[in-house]
Amino acid sequence: MTNRNKLTELDGVIKHAESYQEYKEACEAHDELSGADDWKAKDSCRDYDYRLIRKRVQRIKLARSRGDALGLMSILHEGIHGNLGNIANAALKNHSKIGTKHLIQEFIEQVCQSLDFIYHADEHEVDFYQKLSFFDETSHAFGKSCLMLSGGAGLGFFHGGVVKSLSEHDLLPEVVSGASAGSIIASLIATRTNEELVEALAPQSIYEKFSEWRLWQGFGRNSLLDSTNLENALIELFDLTTFEEAYKKTGRHVTITVSPSDLHQYSRLLNAMTSPNAIITQAVRASCAIPLVFSPVQLKAKNQSGDTVPYIPNRRFADGSLMADMPFKQLARLYGVNHSIVSQTNPIAVPFLSRDKKHSNGVMAMTWRHVAKLAKVNSIYAFDMLENAVSNSGAKMGIHKLRSIIDQQYVGDINILPERGLASLKQIFANPSLRSIERLISSAERATWPEIDLIKRDTLISKTFSKYLKQLKAREARVLTQHNGLRLVEPSKTA
């Protein structure tokens, strides 16, 4: 069998793999046969600054060989970020099925080993509060990754397979956002431990809760669908849990986005930081309130006595994906997020997004991207002019919503998309069968596999920062508790 035939055969195995392990082994065999492994082994490449990365690796190794923790802190503090030397360049993904340059992988591993070295350094050389300050400041500067789950009505169960795959590989970020259908899966992440999440994302469990979410109500009402079944499912899942209570249970920073149902209001991000006492069930119900399909919702919260009271009285909220499907800027401000993993099922965006994993800088590709940007800017301008010209408040609101849909960014650093086709579109407003949920979750897992290696690489440093920062803050909290906050005593290594 010729190499070409073997590569074709491996392409088939990759496409139809039944498990991630099978997929990974086929990718590795493909890279060995195609010559991609030789490309990985060579430092040089015009797609990144290999000289800078090689020099940084040498400096880190030298400092650690000398036991110089302070020197390592200086090296890392002076310029570590997720795209140092353009190592996150999308063009680097074009050369292999899995993995990247060995030099880039070595740099990431050296940084993580250095963080381990600094954390365990003798505290006569680097005292506790120097360590705490270093990890706090440098991790904030480096940033965090987040998982964003878009709207998509019935297609939103796709997110369950993405989350399942990420969780199985210990790659589920601590920061998560969900809009519309994505808010249901995001809230499961917020309120379930890892073990509970596996059970909650099982197809049978999802089917039992949402098999009759679409209950036709008819025209002449305030909405086309009756929300009773959806509300009952959400109450069963989340009861009266608040965002603060969920955070205390799982430690995950989960955000639900909602959009206003009137003019002169903006989208809101509901989470343990911005709205700790808001009740998750009502937030999800509001985020799922697709205009005309479901009626808008008044949010609820718990007061100091534990009673349920209106949250933001006299205001009702609707579908979170209309104005904040992917709240990049808000999450960056709240949590220092600068890297995003997007599970995108929004029917407005999905048909226009490329499934091609390769990034092109060719003339035609750049021209197409430029034309698309011009079309977006011109459309926004047209809607602004139209909104300014009409006086009817209902018309203004509709135009404003359409403008918001066009103005949004629907892709992140890593994008996981469902299969394109009528079979997927049929599930948007259909009541699911157990088989359709199984297929959707299975296809989501398969769609996640090509990104697993990249996500591991992109999140390893931030996860290492987070691990050690949590441990240092826990030590600090124990010492402060022991001294009742009356005086600050430097923690010992055994504290």
Side-chain angles (χ1 to χ4, degrees):
M1 185 183 291
T2 65
N3 277 6
R4 184 181 295 275
N5 289 338
K6 289 179 181 178
L7 288 173
T8 301
E9 183 181 312
L10 286 169
D11 283 330
V13 175
I14 290 168
K15 184 176 180 180
H16 300 290
E18 294 296 325
S19 68
Y20 177 71
Q21 187 61 32
E22 183 183 358
Y23 170 86
K24 180 182 177 183
E25 289 173 358
C27 286
E28 290 171 342
H30 194 288
D31 283 351
E32 181 180 2
L33 194 61
S34 69
D37 281 353
D38 295 333
W39 173 84
K40 295 176 194 176
K42 295 176 182 176
D43 293 350
S44 60
C45 180
R46 65 181 182 179
D47 293 328
Y48 77 116
D49 190 344
Y50 65 92
R51 294 182 181 87
L52 172 65
I53 301 302
R54 189 160 57 195
K55 185 65 176 177
R56 190 59 58 93
V57 169
Q58 290 169 351
R59 290 180 63 196
I60 290 173
K61 284 183 173 180
L62 180 61
R64 202 163 73 248
S65 69
R66 294 173 173 174
D68 186 3
L70 291 172
L72 278 175
M73 291 165 67
S74 177
I75 293 169
L76 297 184
H77 219 321
E78 71 184 23
I80 184 174
H81 57 82
N83 197 23
L84 181 69
N86 211 21
I87 61 173
N89 185 356
L92 287 165
K93 295 187 288 184
N94 295 352
H95 302 278
S96 62
K97 292 290 185 181
I98 195 168
T100 189
K101 289 286 188 182
H102 293 170
L103 178 62
I104 294 175
Q105 189 67 45
E106 183 182 16
F107 168 72
I108 294 169
E109 291 170 356
Q110 286 294 328
V111 169
C112 293
Q113 290 171 19
S114 296
L115 294 177
D116 180 79
F117 185 90
I118 292 166
Y119 176 80
H120 291 101
D122 189 326
E123 293 189 355
H124 290 98
E125 178 186 354
V126 184
D127 70 40
F128 173 83
Y129 287 104
Q130 281 180 292
K131 292 181 182 179
L132 180 59
S133 176
F134 166 79
F135 277 95
D136 197 10
E137 294 172 6
T138 315
S139 78
H140 181 75
F142 185 81
K144 296 179 181 177
S145 294
C146 69
L147 173 65
M148 296 184 173
L149 309 177
S150 76
L155 268 179
F157 299 123
F158 176 89
H159 301 315
V162 174
V163 171
K164 181 173 179 286
S165 187
L166 293 178
S167 181
E168 286 173 351
H169 291 87
D170 192 27
L171 294 175
L172 198 59
E174 293 179 353
V175 180
V176 179
S177 76
S180 196
S183 70
I184 298 174
I185 305 300
S187 295
L188 287 174
I189 296 172
T191 56
R192 265 63 176 176
T193 63
N194 289 338
E195 294 75 17
E196 292 169 340
L197 192 57
V198 171
E199 182 179 341
L201 292 176
Q204 182 67 42
S205 178
I206 293 175
Y207 175 72
E208 289 172 359
K209 301 292 190 304
F210 296 101
S211 59
E212 298 292 335
W213 74 271
R214 180 188 179 278
L215 194 62
W216 179 254
Q217 183 168 253
F219 298 99
R221 307 287 186 95
N222 60 353
S223 63
L224 296 176
L225 299 186
D226 185 340
S227 63
T228 301
N229 285 355
L230 175 61
E231 289 173 355
N232 288 339
L234 297 178
I235 291 169
E236 186 178 349
L237 285 172
F238 310 120
D239 196 21
L240 296 177
T241 305
T242 66
F243 283 94
E244 184 176 46
E245 290 166 349
Y247 175 72
K248 287 180 178 178
K249 177 179 178 179
T250 65
R252 295 181 177 124
H253 302 282
V254 176
T255 290
I256 304 302
T257 65
V258 295
S259 300
S261 60
D262 53 1
L263 281 170
H264 311 302
Q265 296 292 319
Y266 297 91
S267 62
R268 287 181 179 269
L269 269 62
L270 305 173
N271 53 51
M273 186 179 294
T274 63
S275 48
N277 298 320
I279 293 172
I280 289 176
T281 296
Q282 290 301 105
V284 175
R285 170 63 182 85
S287 193
C288 290
I290 305 168
L292 301 180
V293 177
F294 287 124
S295 58
V297 175
Q298 182 182 72
L299 301 175
K300 299 291 180 64
K302 285 183 184 177
N303 61 19
Q304 291 182 337
S305 302
D307 298 323
T308 301
V309 296
Y311 184 75
I312 316 178
N314 305 319
R315 287 283 180 266
R316 291 183 178 274
F317 293 87
D319 192 341
S321 66
L322 289 178
M323 299 181 74
D325 200 38
M326 304 279 116
F328 296 99
K329 292 181 180 178
Q330 297 96 318
L331 292 182
R333 184 175 65 250
L334 287 171
Y335 299 115
V337 165
N338 60 4
H339 178 265
S340 56
I341 304 161
V342 170
S343 178
Q344 181 56 266
T345 61
N346 194 318
I348 295 169
V350 165
F352 306 101
L353 301 179
S354 172
R355 270 79 177 157
D356 185 0
K357 302 299 180 185
K358 293 188 179 297
H359 180 82
S360 175
N361 285 320
V363 173
M364 288 302 296
M366 289 191 290
T367 301
W368 173 249
R369 288 196 290 268
H370 181 65
V371 169
K373 287 179 182 178
L374 285 177
K376 179 176 179 177
V377 170
N378 289 334
S379 297
I380 292 169
Y381 171 75
F383 276 110
D384 284 342
M385 295 294 289
L386 189 59
E387 184 179 346
N388 191 54
V390 301
S391 56
N392 181 274
S393 60
K396 274 185 176 289
M397 187 66 184
I399 294 167
H400 187 69
K401 295 289 188 187
L402 288 173
R403 181 200 186 280
S404 297
I405 290 170
I406 293 171
D407 193 27
Q408 292 189 57
Q409 177 183 340
Y410 290 99
V411 295
D413 297 293
I414 296 173
N415 302 287
I416 303 169
L417 309 175
E419 295 176 352
R420 185 183 283 132
L422 291 176
S424 293
L425 294 176
K426 287 178 182 177
Q427 298 181 63
I428 293 175
F429 287 114
N431 282 327
S433 65
L434 177 58
R435 180 60 183 148
S436 70
I437 293 176
E438 288 173 341
R439 283 198 300 265
L440 204 54
I441 289 179
S442 175
S443 69
E445 291 183 84
R446 297 172 67 87
T448 307
W449 293 344
E451 311 299 343
I452 291 293
D453 183 71
L454 179 59
I455 293 171
K456 282 182 180 178
R457 200 160 55 244
D458 285 358
T459 60
L460 186 58
I461 293 176
S462 61
K463 284 182 67 175
T464 306
F465 267 124
S466 179
K467 178 180 74 172
Y468 288 132
L469 184 57
K470 283 181 180 178
Q471 292 179 21
L472 288 166
K473 287 188 173 181
R475 281 180 61 192
E476 182 185 41
R478 287 198 301 271
V479 171
L480 291 176
T481 300
Q482 289 170 4
H483 293 83
N484 297 317
L486 297 178
R487 59 192 180 94
L488 197 61
V489 177
E490 183 174 340
S492 68
K493 297 183 72 172
T494 59

mmCIF file of all heavy atoms in Angstrom, residues 311-332:
data_model
loop_
_atom_site.group_PDB
_atom_site.id
_atom_site.type_symbol
_atom_site.label_atom_id
_atom_site.label_comp_id
_atom_site.label_asym_id
_atom_site.label_seq_id
_atom_site.Cartn_x
_atom_site.Cartn_y
_atom_site.Cartn_z
ATOM 1 N N TYR A 311 -36.575 40.570 41.368
ATOM 2 C CA TYR A 311 -35.233 41.123 41.161
ATOM 3 C C TYR A 311 -35.317 42.078 39.978
ATOM 4 O O TYR A 311 -35.759 41.701 38.903
ATOM 5 C CB TYR A 311 -34.239 39.993 40.887
ATOM 6 C CG TYR A 311 -32.808 40.439 40.759
ATOM 7 C CD1 TYR A 311 -32.069 40.800 41.886
ATOM 8 C CD2 TYR A 311 -32.182 40.498 39.516
ATOM 9 C CE1 TYR A 311 -30.749 41.210 41.770
ATOM 10 C CE2 TYR A 311 -30.857 40.893 39.395
ATOM 11 C CZ TYR A 311 -30.153 41.257 40.528
ATOM 12 O OH TYR A 311 -28.841 41.664 40.414
ATOM 13 N N ILE A 312 -34.902 43.316 40.184
ATOM 14 C CA ILE A 312 -35.087 44.393 39.208
ATOM 15 C C ILE A 312 -36.581 44.521 38.888
ATOM 16 O O ILE A 312 -37.038 44.203 37.779
ATOM 17 C CB ILE A 312 -34.272 44.177 37.911
ATOM 18 C CG1 ILE A 312 -32.847 43.709 38.230
ATOM 19 C CG2 ILE A 312 -34.251 45.454 37.067
ATOM 20 C CD1 ILE A 312 -32.001 43.430 37.004
ATOM 21 N N PRO A 313 -37.373 44.970 39.857
ATOM 22 C CA PRO A 313 -38.825 45.076 39.673
ATOM 23 C C PRO A 313 -39.191 45.941 38.458
ATOM 24 O O PRO A 313 -38.437 46.823 38.051
ATOM 25 C CB PRO A 313 -39.287 45.740 40.974
ATOM 26 C CG PRO A 313 -38.221 45.414 41.964
ATOM 27 C CD PRO A 313 -36.945 45.409 41.185
ATOM 28 N N ASN A 314 -40.350 45.663 37.901
ATOM 29 C CA ASN A 314 -40.893 46.406 36.753
ATOM 30 C C ASN A 314 -40.111 46.213 35.463
ATOM 31 O O ASN A 314 -40.302 46.964 34.504
ATOM 32 C CB ASN A 314 -40.980 47.908 37.067
ATOM 33 C CG ASN A 314 -41.779 48.188 38.327
ATOM 34 O OD1 ASN A 314 -42.810 47.552 38.559
ATOM 35 N ND2 ASN A 314 -41.291 49.119 39.147
ATOM 36 N N ARG A 315 -39.215 45.233 35.451
ATOM 37 C CA ARG A 315 -38.472 44.947 34.225
ATOM 38 C C ARG A 315 -38.611 43.454 33.909
ATOM 39 O O ARG A 315 -38.561 42.606 34.799
ATOM 40 C CB ARG A 315 -36.979 45.292 34.385
ATOM 41 C CG ARG A 315 -36.693 46.775 34.406
ATOM 42 C CD ARG A 315 -36.748 47.361 33.000
ATOM 43 N NE ARG A 315 -36.481 48.792 33.002
ATOM 44 C CZ ARG A 315 -37.399 49.748 33.052
ATOM 45 N NH1 ARG A 315 -38.677 49.420 33.114
ATOM 46 N NH2 ARG A 315 -37.067 51.016 33.034
ATOM 47 N N ARG A 316 -38.783 43.176 32.637
ATOM 48 C CA ARG A 316 -38.832 41.791 32.190
ATOM 49 C C ARG A 316 -37.704 41.543 31.196
ATOM 50 O O ARG A 316 -37.289 42.454 30.485
ATOM 51 C CB ARG A 316 -40.189 41.472 31.562
ATOM 52 C CG ARG A 316 -41.299 41.456 32.593
ATOM 53 C CD ARG A 316 -42.640 41.069 31.997
ATOM 54 N NE ARG A 316 -43.656 41.032 33.038
ATOM 55 C CZ ARG A 316 -43.918 39.985 33.815
ATOM 56 N NH1 ARG A 316 -43.238 38.856 33.633
ATOM 57 N NH2 ARG A 316 -44.842 40.033 34.751
ATOM 58 N N PHE A 317 -37.233 40.300 31.163
ATOM 59 C CA PHE A 317 -36.067 39.978 30.347
ATOM 60 C C PHE A 317 -36.358 38.791 29.439
ATOM 61 O O PHE A 317 -37.223 37.957 29.717
ATOM 62 C CB PHE A 317 -34.865 39.694 31.237
ATOM 63 C CG PHE A 317 -34.401 40.905 31.986
ATOM 64 C CD1 PHE A 317 -34.957 41.232 33.218
ATOM 65 C CD2 PHE A 317 -33.430 41.735 31.452
ATOM 66 C CE1 PHE A 317 -34.540 42.359 33.908
ATOM 67 C CE2 PHE A 317 -33.011 42.861 32.130
ATOM 68 C CZ PHE A 317 -33.566 43.178 33.360
ATOM 69 N N ALA A 318 -35.594 38.732 28.339
ATOM 70 C CA ALA A 318 -35.824 37.716 27.314
ATOM 71 C C ALA A 318 -34.508 37.097 26.865
ATOM 72 O O ALA A 318 -33.468 37.261 27.515
ATOM 73 C CB ALA A 318 -36.580 38.343 26.143
ATOM 74 N N ASP A 319 -34.571 36.407 25.740
ATOM 75 C CA ASP A 319 -33.485 35.614 25.160
ATOM 76 C C ASP A 319 -32.111 36.287 25.268
ATOM 77 O O ASP A 319 -31.860 37.332 24.676
ATOM 78 C CB ASP A 319 -33.817 35.358 23.690
ATOM 79 C CG ASP A 319 -32.927 34.310 23.063
ATOM 80 O OD1 ASP A 319 -31.847 34.031 23.608
ATOM 81 O OD2 ASP A 319 -33.306 33.765 22.025
ATOM 82 N N GLY A 320 -31.199 35.639 26.014
ATOM 83 C CA GLY A 320 -29.867 36.204 26.226
ATOM 84 C C GLY A 320 -29.030 36.274 24.976
ATOM 85 O O GLY A 320 -28.113 37.101 24.875
ATOM 86 N N SER A 321 -29.334 35.421 23.975
ATOM 87 C CA SER A 321 -28.499 35.401 22.779
ATOM 88 C C SER A 321 -28.771 36.575 21.851
ATOM 89 O O SER A 321 -27.990 36.834 20.938
ATOM 90 C CB SER A 321 -28.692 34.089 22.020
ATOM 91 O OG SER A 321 -30.006 33.990 21.516
ATOM 92 N N LEU A 322 -29.877 37.297 22.068
ATOM 93 C CA LEU A 322 -30.202 38.423 21.193
ATOM 94 C C LEU A 322 -29.167 39.532 21.283
ATOM 95 O O LEU A 322 -28.841 40.174 20.285
ATOM 96 C CB LEU A 322 -31.585 38.994 21.549
ATOM 97 C CG LEU A 322 -32.794 38.132 21.193
ATOM 98 C CD1 LEU A 322 -34.064 38.807 21.649
ATOM 99 C CD2 LEU A 322 -32.845 37.860 19.694
ATOM 100 N N MET A 323 -28.656 39.781 22.495
ATOM 101 C CA MET A 323 -27.736 40.898 22.681
ATOM 102 C C MET A 323 -26.393 40.484 23.268
ATOM 103 O O MET A 323 -25.447 41.265 23.252
ATOM 104 C CB MET A 323 -28.384 41.973 23.572
ATOM 105 C CG MET A 323 -29.658 42.556 22.988
ATOM 106 S SD MET A 323 -30.411 43.831 24.021
ATOM 107 C CE MET A 323 -29.289 45.199 23.757
ATOM 108 N N ALA A 324 -26.306 39.272 23.806
ATOM 109 C CA ALA A 324 -25.043 38.865 24.446
ATOM 110 C C ALA A 324 -24.858 37.360 24.350
ATOM 111 O O ALA A 324 -24.703 36.674 25.355
ATOM 112 C CB ALA A 324 -25.017 39.322 25.907
ATOM 113 N N ASP A 325 -24.868 36.840 23.110
ATOM 114 C CA ASP A 325 -24.656 35.407 22.920
ATOM 115 C C ASP A 325 -23.261 35.011 23.399
ATOM 116 O O ASP A 325 -23.078 33.985 24.050
ATOM 117 C CB ASP A 325 -24.818 35.068 21.432
ATOM 118 C CG ASP A 325 -25.096 33.590 21.197
ATOM 119 O OD1 ASP A 325 -25.824 32.996 21.997
ATOM 120 O OD2 ASP A 325 -24.595 33.046 20.206
ATOM 121 N N MET A 326 -22.285 35.845 23.075
ATOM 122 C CA MET A 326 -20.891 35.616 23.455
ATOM 123 C C MET A 326 -20.357 36.881 24.142
ATOM 124 O O MET A 326 -19.817 37.775 23.489
ATOM 125 C CB MET A 326 -20.041 35.333 22.210
ATOM 126 C CG MET A 326 -20.504 34.188 21.340
ATOM 127 S SD MET A 326 -19.967 32.598 22.002
ATOM 128 C CE MET A 326 -21.543 31.848 22.382
ATOM 129 N N PRO A 327 -20.494 36.998 25.460
ATOM 130 C CA PRO A 327 -20.136 38.248 26.145
ATOM 131 C C PRO A 327 -18.630 38.374 26.422
ATOM 132 O O PRO A 327 -18.180 38.393 27.567
ATOM 133 C CB PRO A 327 -20.928 38.161 27.451
ATOM 134 C CG PRO A 327 -21.008 36.692 27.727
ATOM 135 C CD PRO A 327 -21.114 36.022 26.385
ATOM 136 N N PHE A 328 -17.839 38.464 25.353
ATOM 137 C CA PHE A 328 -16.378 38.482 25.485
ATOM 138 C C PHE A 328 -15.897 39.626 26.375
ATOM 139 O O PHE A 328 -15.125 39.418 27.315
ATOM 140 C CB PHE A 328 -15.730 38.602 24.098
ATOM 141 C CG PHE A 328 -15.973 37.437 23.193
ATOM 142 C CD1 PHE A 328 -16.959 37.493 22.215
ATOM 143 C CD2 PHE A 328 -15.234 36.273 23.313
ATOM 144 C CE1 PHE A 328 -17.193 36.417 21.369
ATOM 145 C CE2 PHE A 328 -15.460 35.190 22.470
ATOM 146 C CZ PHE A 328 -16.442 35.270 21.495
ATOM 147 N N LYS A 329 -16.306 40.847 26.055
ATOM 148 C CA LYS A 329 -15.791 42.022 26.762
ATOM 149 C C LYS A 329 -16.185 42.012 28.231
ATOM 150 O O LYS A 329 -15.378 42.360 29.105
ATOM 151 C CB LYS A 329 -16.288 43.301 26.086
ATOM 152 C CG LYS A 329 -15.716 43.530 24.696
ATOM 153 C CD LYS A 329 -16.233 44.827 24.091
ATOM 154 C CE LYS A 329 -15.653 45.046 22.703
ATOM 155 N NZ LYS A 329 -16.174 46.290 22.076
ATOM 156 N N GLN A 330 -17.435 41.632 28.508
ATOM 157 C CA GLN A 330 -17.889 41.637 29.902
ATOM 158 C C GLN A 330 -17.136 40.610 30.750
ATOM 159 O O GLN A 330 -16.765 40.894 31.893
ATOM 160 C CB GLN A 330 -19.392 41.373 29.962
ATOM 161 C CG GLN A 330 -20.246 42.430 29.276
ATOM 162 C CD GLN A 330 -20.620 42.049 27.860
ATOM 163 O OE1 GLN A 330 -19.783 41.525 27.120
ATOM 164 N NE2 GLN A 330 -21.863 42.301 27.473
ATOM 165 N N LEU A 331 -16.897 39.424 30.201
ATOM 166 C CA LEU A 331 -16.167 38.403 30.956
ATOM 167 C C LEU A 331 -14.701 38.783 31.129
ATOM 168 O O LEU A 331 -14.082 38.460 32.145
ATOM 169 C CB LEU A 331 -16.279 37.046 30.260
ATOM 170 C CG LEU A 331 -17.662 36.405 30.245
ATOM 171 C CD1 LEU A 331 -17.618 35.048 29.568
ATOM 172 C CD2 LEU A 331 -18.230 36.264 31.652
ATOM 173 N N ALA A 332 -14.153 39.487 30.152
ATOM 174 C CA ALA A 332 -12.774 39.970 30.287
ATOM 175 C C ALA A 332 -12.677 40.952 31.453
ATOM 176 O O ALA A 332 -11.725 40.913 32.242
ATOM 177 C CB ALA A 332 -12.321 40.637 28.989
#
